[in-house]
């Protein structure tokens, strides 16, 4: 009997210990640092201060934050608009095709994102595939500038994150009870009303989790603006990185990270609510 | 929607997802160095890749860290899944929540908070800190994969083993582990690809003594297209595709 308890205790203690050490402690340290003062040469001063948070709210930084969130939100919305019909088509393609189509979505999903971002350069640059095609078709006379523009950053974000939108949407559409859609049509609802009042609410958990899986990384993927956007376009991730590694304002970088965690918290809350509304069990 | 419209739409999205990968593959076999214009088939970029010691060293380090962190994450994740599945204890829901939050946390927040931890603990950034970072990144995913496999079990088998006098360790070692084997392999492969794919956590948790492949590529590609990086990308894509197809096969055995 003592053996039994020992194994059980070791397992629980080990897992909990690890989660506290690498999950809770670093998060609390980050929170703590965000409330400290910046020291000119020593990096951090152990003095309580709300300065970093106030600085985040200042017009210059605040507008950067808002702009970054708008960019991430736009990329998320575009992913949703592109991904929803696609997920619908895949889910309704028939058993034989669905599996293959899903596997085809998974492959780019698992390919190194940096390599994929780099591969986009070959498509977007002045003598890249898009420009060659446009020149060949006679749409343009001279190559258009795609690289190092905001458009390139959007393309990069959508390209990298689209599978994160498609997979949860697929799971939601696949679970959809077709009889409910039929009933709605039988009772005289138009196609559009059926979609708006039945399909969308029932697939809401997929929509919300897809948006969460795209929006949060879209705020943080600093290497996409770096490689595709030049130095002009900034995501929250670029800002956090620069505070830690360039400007060396660690409390401010920590405060910006905490802001991002708060955004995540809000999104998780929305997710739980949407799952509950759709009447399903919340699961990992 | 019309069938043809549907097929065309799906094809368009797939074209978007695959075009860059195809372009990179074409570049890697093209004799022309900078342009897409086809100047003949060549393997010289693969030859150049083999001669690029720094790039290959970084690739080897990436593989090492992916193998080690996938193994550690699998061990921890399996124990976590076993604990959540078999034991009822105070705070069990909090552990579920904690793992879920760790899974959803943006990579940059994980990276930054670990950097703060390592700096606070006075650790030198390098192999060990990178390893801890990657295990932190992969473990919740490994736990979720293994847990979903456990959910498919017949609970009476474990009960029978306990009734017949098996210790907890024996239940874990002799009953649960063998039954979960395909799930374990899938979890390991998932962790392996997550680690290999990661840029952001590595960026913050590794030091100059242990430069992994994505970071090496990152510093190279900011200066433009490099033919040997094209060749390397194709090799990496091939490795990933193999891993994905393998893990799919193994997961399929389950159903």
């Amino acid at each position: 009997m003592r053996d039994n308890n020992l194994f059980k205790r070791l397992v629980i203690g080990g897992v909990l210990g690890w989660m506290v050490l690498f999950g809770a402690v670093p998060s609390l340290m980050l929170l703590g640092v965000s409330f400290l003062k910046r020291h000119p040469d020593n990096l951090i001063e152990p003095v309580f201060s709300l300065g970093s948070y106030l600085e985040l709210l200042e017009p210059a930084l605040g507008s950067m934050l808002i702009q970054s969130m708008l960019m991430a939100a736009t990329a998320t919305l575009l992913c949703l608009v592109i991904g929803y019909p696609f997920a619908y088509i895949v889910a309704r393609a028939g058993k034989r095709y669905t599996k293959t189509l899903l596997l085809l979505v998974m492959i780019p999903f698992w390919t190194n994102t940096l390599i994929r971002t780099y591969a986009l350069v070959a498509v977007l640059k002045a003598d890249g595939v898009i420009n060659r095609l446009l020149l060949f078709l006679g749409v343009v006379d001279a190559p258009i500038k795609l690289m190092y523009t905001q458009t390139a950053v959007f393309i990069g974000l959508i390209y990298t994150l689209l599978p994160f939108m498609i997979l949860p949407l697929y799971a939601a559409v696949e679970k959809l009870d077709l009889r409910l859609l039929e009933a709605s049509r039988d009772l005289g609802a138009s196609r559009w009303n059926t979609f708006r009042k039945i399909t969308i609410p029932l697939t809401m958990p997929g929509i919300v989790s897809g948006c969460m899986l795209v929006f949060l990384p879209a705020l943080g993927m600093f290497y996409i603006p770096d490689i595709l956007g030049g130095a002009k376009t900034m995501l929250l991730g670029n800002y956090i990185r620069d505070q830690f590694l360039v400007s060396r304002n660690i409390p401010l970088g920590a405060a910006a990270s905490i802001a991002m965690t708060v955004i995540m918290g809000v999104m998780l809350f929305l997710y739980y609510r949407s799952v509950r509304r759709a009447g399903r069990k919340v699961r990992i | 929607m019309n069938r043809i419209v549907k097929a065309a739409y799906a094809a368009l999205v797939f074209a978007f997802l695959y075009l860059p990968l195809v372009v990179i593959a074409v570049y890697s076999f093209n004799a022309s160095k900078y342009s897409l214009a086809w100047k003949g088939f060549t393997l010289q970029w693969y030859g150049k890749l083999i001669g690029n010691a720094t790039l290959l060293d970084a690739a080897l380090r990436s593989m090492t860290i992916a193998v080690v962190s996938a193994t550690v994450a699998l061990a921890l994740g399996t124990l976590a899944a076993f604990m959540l599945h078999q034991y009822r204890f105070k705070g069990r829901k909090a552990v579920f929540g904690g793992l879920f939050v760790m899974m959803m946390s943006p990579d940059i927040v994980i990276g930054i908070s670990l950097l703060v931890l390592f700096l606070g603990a006075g650790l030198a950034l390098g192999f060990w800190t990178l390893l801890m970072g990657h295990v932190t990144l992969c473990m919740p995913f490994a736990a979720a994969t293994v847990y979903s496999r456990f959910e498919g079990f017949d609970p009476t088998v474990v009960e029978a083993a306990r009734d017949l006098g098996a210790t907890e360790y024996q239940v874990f070692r002799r009953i649960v582990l063998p039954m979960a084997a395909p799930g374990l392999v899938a979890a390991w492969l998932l962790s392996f690809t997550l680690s290999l794919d990661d840029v952001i956590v590595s960026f913050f948790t590794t030091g100059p003594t242990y430069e992994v492949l994505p970071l090496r590529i990152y510093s190279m590609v900011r200066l433009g297209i490099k033919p040997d990086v094209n060749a390397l990308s194709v090799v990496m894509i091939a490795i990933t595709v193999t891993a994905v197809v393998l893990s799919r096969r193994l997961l399929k055995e389950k159903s």
Side-chain angles (χ1 to χ4, degrees), chain A residues 203-275:
Chain A
T203 50
M204 199 41 102
I207 295 175
V208 179
S209 68
C211 287
M212 192 158 68
L213 284 172
V214 172
F215 182 75
L216 288 172
L219 280 175
M221 301 186 105
F222 56 77
Y223 51 89
I224 291 183
D226 270 6
I227 293 175
L228 300 174
K232 283 169 292 182
T233 325
M234 290 270 273
L235 292 178
L236 187 52
N238 298 66
Y239 183 74
I240 294 175
R241 177 200 55 189
D242 291 349
Q243 290 313 311
F244 272 86
L245 302 177
V246 185
S247 337
R248 291 271 172 191
N249 191 342
I250 291 179
L252 188 56
S257 312
I258 296 296
M260 205 159 167
T261 312
V262 171
I263 296 170
M264 176 187 73
V266 171
M267 298 198 84
L268 281 180
F269 172 74
L270 288 176
Y271 173 68
Y272 273 83
R273 225 182 49 174
S274 74
V275 174

Side-chain angles (χ1 to χ4, degrees), chain A residues 10 19 32 52 89 204 206-207 228:
Chain A
L10 277 178
M19 281 179 71
S52 298
I89 292 168
M204 199 41 102
I207 295 175
L228 300 174

Side-chain angles (χ1 to χ4, degrees), chain B residues 71-92:
Chain B
T71 309
V72 179
L74 176 68
L76 268 168
T78 307
L79 289 179
F82 180 73
M83 159 181 126
L84 288 169
H85 192 252
Q86 289 290 322
Y87 301 145
R88 296 293 170 268
F89 54 94
K90 239 182 153 184
R92 183 170 168 271

Side-chain angles (χ1 to χ4, degrees), chain A residues 4 8 16 22 82 103-104 108 110 112-114 118-119 125 129 132 159 226 237 241 244-245 268 284, chain B residues 9 17-18 23-24 27 34-35 95 100 103 112 132 167-168 190 196-197 203 214 218 221 226 230 240 244:
Chain A
N4 272 343
K8 191 171 162 177
L16 288 187
F22 292 107
I82 299 169
L103 187 63
L104 284 173
W110 291 126
N112 190 295
T113 41
L114 185 71
Y118 164 69
K125 62 186 187 140
V129 181
R132 279 174 169 270
Y159 173 60
D226 270 6
R241 177 200 55 189
F244 272 86
L245 302 177
L268 281 180
I284 290 185
Chain B
Y9 184 79
L17 288 176
Y18 279 90
V23 170
I24 278 294
Y27 264 97
Y34 295 111
S35 149
V95 175
F100 188 64
M103 209 148 84
I112 286 288
M132 290 184 254
T167 64
E168 282 305 304
L190 175 61
L196 217 52
D197 179 44
F203 187 85
Y218 189 27
V221 298
K226 296 276 184 299
N230 295 342
T240 322
V244 175

Side-chain angles (χ1 to χ4, degrees), chain A residues 89 92-94 96-97, chain B residues 1-11:
Chain A
I89 292 168
R92 296 266 173 273
R96 209 151 44 100
Y97 301 107
Chain B
M1 261 189 283
N2 187 316
R3 272 189 79 91
I4 298 166
V5 176
K6 280 185 187 176
Y9 184 79

